[in-house]
Amino acid sequence: MKIAAAVFATLLQVLLTCNACAHGDHKPKHGGIMGRGDEEISVELVVEKGTATLYIEDDSGTPLPAEKVKGTLSLVGPGRPAQEAKLIPASDNKLTAKGLAPVPGDRLRARLILPNGDELSAVFSFR
């Protein structure tokens, strides 16, 4: 189990580094942390009161409807087992997950399946 968590943490680190280099131009609109999945979709993570919220937009900043988006949010922290929570559409371009309690230094990975079947991953370093 420790090996799997270490491999997952290393993968998240590599993905995070790639995202930071390629997609550092978007600013958070809701006070959260930006991550990017690809050239066309941006994702912002906000964690408040035990709820993680993801806001999704296209590259031009237009909110994308979340009602038919499915996904999970995974959390990996040093010395702790990985956690995963289901993302649930909340409203407009917003998805939420409960039960994750990240602390500074943790890595989070959102895996989203868009209505057209495309899969998107976004990685965040929690500060």
Side-chain angles (χ1 to χ4, degrees):
M1 184 65 164
K2 288 182 181 181
I3 293 173
V7 169
F8 187 66
T10 302
L11 177 62
L12 286 177
Q13 180 72 25
V14 169
L15 290 173
L16 178 65
T17 302
C18 293
N19 277 342
C21 294
H23 307 293
D25 56 341
H26 289 268
K27 304 279 188 238
K29 294 181 179 178
H30 304 92
I33 304 165
M34 295 303 295
R36 285 283 298 256
D38 63 20
E39 294 295 321
E40 299 172 5
I41 308 291
S42 66
V43 183
E44 180 180 359
L45 170 70
V46 177
V47 179
E48 293 180 322
K49 299 178 185 175
T51 301
T53 303
L54 293 179
Y55 295 90
I56 53 175
E57 298 180 344
D58 67 16
D59 197 40
S60 69
T62 303
L64 295 175
E67 77 178 284
K68 294 183 181 176
V69 175
K70 298 176 184 178
T72 58
L73 185 62
S74 303
L75 180 143
V76 175
R80 296 188 319 267
Q83 301 175 30
E84 186 172 276
K86 183 177 179 179
L87 287 164
I88 299 172
S91 65
D92 301 327
N93 67 326
K94 187 164 100 172
L95 299 147
T96 60
K98 294 184 186 263
L100 299 177
V103 297
D106 285 351
R107 303 268 190 256
L108 293 106
R109 176 182 178 258
R111 181 180 168 266
L112 305 174
I113 300 172
L114 304 176
N116 65 2
D118 287 351
E119 187 174 318
L120 165 74
S121 287
V123 180
F124 307 88
S125 180
F126 193 75
R127 304 175 225 149

